[in-house]
């Protein structure tokens, strides 16, 4: 990318140098013939206010927010989307009418990937979410809002209970239900989403593979490796599978839509991300 091109976007976090966001968003810019750069900005938590203000002054259209800033950034914003408000976590900032608005596109990205890649229905389906961290919360809320009956399964039970009780009050406005469960709940589910880090650069699976069945759509948010042991086992029993790179691409697509309006070129974004991951393996 031309260094003279205007700065359109940035991802802030720490550490941030390994973020795929610059490659993914710049691929979307290029496919849309949009002249502009998107950079990674290393930002410790105590510097987030100054960094957001500085990027805003430089005229960026939006900012992606990654660990460990998703919560601390909130106090520096003018308003929050409904999802970001419920989750108390922001992964995307848009600047609209002079206001900095915080959004959370992680859960919607997961649901978009389930629907697009596996044509998975969500309304009325039972969905097991493995993990109760930031990603688990976001995915559980998005599934809940789309009318799924969500079962949260986590190694630390107290964290799953906390997740369910914090999202539970929002059930009224949706059609789904949410409760804490165990790995056995997978046998009666049609959707399984792994949001834990289990399987990242390892051959571990986050639950016994004997619980997998052909009636499942399995999305693994882990994308290093792209074909995790969980996805390989799921495919071998005839389940539909969606890799975590699609979730990453789809949450970035949602950010592009918030910033520019038009639907970005997913395939171009995916191709660029795959190329980058492959080059890192060399
Ligand atoms: P994120 O924001 O990406 O969701 P996180 O908040 O650190 O990250 O949450 C990580 C999730 O992975 C948690 O649900 C964690 O379980 P605990 O709440 O019990 O810590 C889960 N996790 C991480 N390593 C795990 C492991 N070896 N086995 C099972 N669950 C694990």
């Amino acid at each position: 990318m031309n260094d003279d091109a205007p700065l359109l976007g940035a991802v802030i976090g720490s550490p941030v140098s390994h973020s795929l966001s610059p490659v993914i968003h710049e691929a979307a810019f290029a496919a849309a013939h949009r002249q502009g750069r998107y950079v990674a900005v290393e930002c410790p938590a105590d510097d987030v206010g100054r960094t957001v203000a500085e990027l805003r002054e430089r005229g960026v259209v939006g900012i992606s927010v990654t660990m460990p800033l998703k919560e601390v950034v909130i106090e520096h914003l003018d308003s929050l989307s409904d999802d970001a408000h419920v989750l108390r976590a922001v992964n995307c900032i848009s600047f609209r009418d002079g206001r900095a608005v915080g959004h959370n596109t992680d859960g919607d990205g997961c649901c978009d990937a389930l629907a697009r890649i596996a044509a998975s229905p969500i309304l009325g389906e039972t969905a097991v979410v493995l993990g109760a961290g930031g990603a688990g919360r976001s995915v559980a809320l998005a599934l809940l809002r789309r009318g799924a009956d969500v079962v949260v399964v986590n190694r630390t039970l107290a964290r799953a209970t906390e997740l369910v009780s914090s999202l539970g009050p929002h059930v009224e406005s949706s059609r789904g239900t949410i409760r804490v469960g165990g790995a056995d709940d997978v046998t009666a589910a049609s959707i399984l989403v792994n949001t834990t880090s289990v399987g990242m650069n390892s051959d571990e699976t986050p639950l016994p593979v004997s619980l997998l069945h052909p009636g499942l759509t399995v999305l693994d948010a882990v994308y290093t490796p792209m074909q995790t042991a969980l996805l390989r086992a799921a495919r071998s029993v005839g389940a539909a599978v969606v890799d975590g790179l699609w979730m990453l691409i789809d949450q970035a697509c949602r950010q592009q839509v918030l910033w520019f309006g038009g639907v970005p070129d997913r395939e171009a974004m995916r191709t660029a991300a795959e190329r980058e991951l492959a080059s890192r393996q060399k």
Side-chain angles (χ1 to χ4, degrees):
M1 179 59 63
N2 179 354
D3 278 352
D4 296 335
L7 187 65
L8 289 183
V11 55
I12 59 172
S14 185
V16 79
S17 62
H18 271 69
S19 170
L20 285 175
S21 292
V23 162
I24 290 171
H25 285 289
E26 286 200 342
F29 293 170
H33 306 292
R34 207 184 298 283
Q35 282 297 316
R37 287 177 302 133
Y38 177 111
V39 296
V41 177
E42 182 71 28
C43 172
D46 58 5
D47 208 26
V48 66
R50 193 191 61 77
T51 303
V52 169
E54 196 176 299
L55 287 166
R56 187 178 188 170
E57 222 155 79
R58 290 179 69 185
V60 298
V61 178
I63 299 175
S64 310
V65 182
T66 188
M67 302 305 289
L69 308 177
K70 291 183 174 186
E71 287 151 32
V72 294
V73 77
I74 289 176
E75 66 176 287
H76 303 285
L77 305 177
D78 298 311
S79 63
L80 297 178
S81 71
D82 194 30
D83 280 1
H85 174 74
V86 171
L87 296 165
R88 303 307 299 166
V90 159
N91 79 335
C92 170
I93 302 168
S94 63
F95 296 106
R96 277 193 205 138
D97 308 324
R99 293 171 62 77
V101 184
H103 311 265
N104 194 308
T105 65
D106 284 330
D108 284 337
C110 173
C111 290
D112 289 349
L114 283 169
R116 282 189 326 99
I117 307 301
S120 172
I122 294 176
L123 177 66
E125 302 295 317
T126 298
V128 170
V129 175
L130 301 176
R137 285 172 59 77
S138 180
V139 167
L141 179 64
L143 288 165
L144 193 54
R145 286 204 194 283
R146 285 165 177 74
D149 293 319
V150 177
V151 183
V152 180
V153 178
N154 195 48
R155 175 179 62 180
T156 308
L157 185 62
R159 242 179 140 192
T161 307
E162 197 280 323
L163 189 165
V164 167
S165 58
S166 70
L167 299 190
H170 300 280
V171 171
E172 234 170 47
S173 58
S174 74
R175 289 169 284 190
T177 63
I178 185 163
R179 66 177 173 84
V180 175
D184 286 357
D185 280 293
V186 167
T187 54
S190 56
I191 296 170
L192 172 65
V193 180
N194 174 42
T195 72
T196 76
S197 47
V198 179
M200 193 182 290
N201 302 317
S202 86
D203 231 21
E204 288 172 88
T205 59
L207 82 180
V209 295
S210 58
L211 295 170
L212 300 172
H213 57 85
L216 276 174
T217 297
V218 181
L219 184 150
D220 195 343
V222 172
Y223 57 83
T224 50
M226 214 116 71
Q227 293 307 314
T228 59
L230 175 66
L231 292 188
R232 292 200 310 275
R235 186 177 284 117
S236 75
V237 300
V241 299
V242 183
D243 67 52
L245 195 59
W246 276 127
M247 176 171 158
L248 185 73
I249 299 296
D250 276 324
Q251 65 77 31
C253 283
R254 289 257 174 179
Q255 299 192 358
Q256 288 270 326
V257 172
L258 286 165
W259 297 336
F260 302 108
V263 178
D265 186 334
R266 284 189 171 81
E267 296 298 333
M269 295 162 83
R270 168 104 188 178
T271 303
E274 281 183 8
R275 195 180 305 129
E276 175 66 18
L277 284 173
S279 80
R280 289 179 188 181
Q281 275 162 9
K282 280 178 192 160

